């Protein structure tokens, strides 16, 4: 039997597992666009904008957890966990989760956990 795999060019198969985006209805998108902060950082609907940010962070957190796996996550100290959280938050301010590969997520984990071994 021939196994068929649909792959988008340039996207590693592991990344395909997490390449679904949170789709919004037309109304939700319109509401979000209206709520988007202006050039001064002021939103006309802070609750809608904050809810969208929370949903995006939750979505990203699930995929970061999938990339790292339970064993890696459970081995983190509280300080390492905080460092990784800060690193991933900075990444997510610059890019969306679908642009961040498993290798990059794991590389940051390795850097943080290697620091412990060096001290």
């Amino acid at each position: 039997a021939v196994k068929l795999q649909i792959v988008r060019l340039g996207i590693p198969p592991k990344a395909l597992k997490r390449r679904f985006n949170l789709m919004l209805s037309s109304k939700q998108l319109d509401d979000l666009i209206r709520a988007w902060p202006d050039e001064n950082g002021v939103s006309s609907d802070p609750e809608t904008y904050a809810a969208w940010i929370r949903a995006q962070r939750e979505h990203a957190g699930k995929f970061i957890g999938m990339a790292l796996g339970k064993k890696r996550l459970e081995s983190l100290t509280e300080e390492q966990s905080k460092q990784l959280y800060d690193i991933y938050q900075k990444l997510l301010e610059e890019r969306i989760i679908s642009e961040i590969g498993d290798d990059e997520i794991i590389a940051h984990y390795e850097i943080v956990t290697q620091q412990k071994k060096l001290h």
Side-chain angles (χ1 to χ4, degrees), residues 76-92:
L76 292 170
T77 66
E78 190 173 327
E79 180 61 27
Q80 289 171 331
S81 183
K82 183 182 177 341
Q83 286 177 331
L84 275 177
Y85 177 83
D86 293 343
I87 289 168
Y88 295 143
Q89 289 303 311
K90 185 173 168 76
L91 272 176
L92 293 168

Side-chain angles (χ1 to χ4, degrees), residues 14-47:
K14 266 186 149 179
L16 284 173
K17 286 191 258 180
R18 39 185 194 91
R19 276 196 60 90
F20 64 88
N21 294 322
L22 297 174
M23 296 296 295
L24 300 173
S25 70
S26 292
K27 182 184 178 336
Q28 290 170 319
L29 182 58
D30 288 342
D31 291 347
L32 179 58
I33 290 169
R34 277 194 285 288
W36 205 264
D38 62 19
E39 61 275 355
N40 298 317
V42 178
S43 170
S44 62
D45 185 354
E47 290 176 16

Side-chain angles (χ1 to χ4, degrees), residues 84 87-88 91 103-113:
L84 275 177
I87 289 168
Y88 295 143
L91 272 176
D103 292 343
E104 186 175 0
I105 292 168
I106 293 169
H108 286 292
Y109 168 87
E110 295 294 336
I111 291 167
V112 167
T113 57

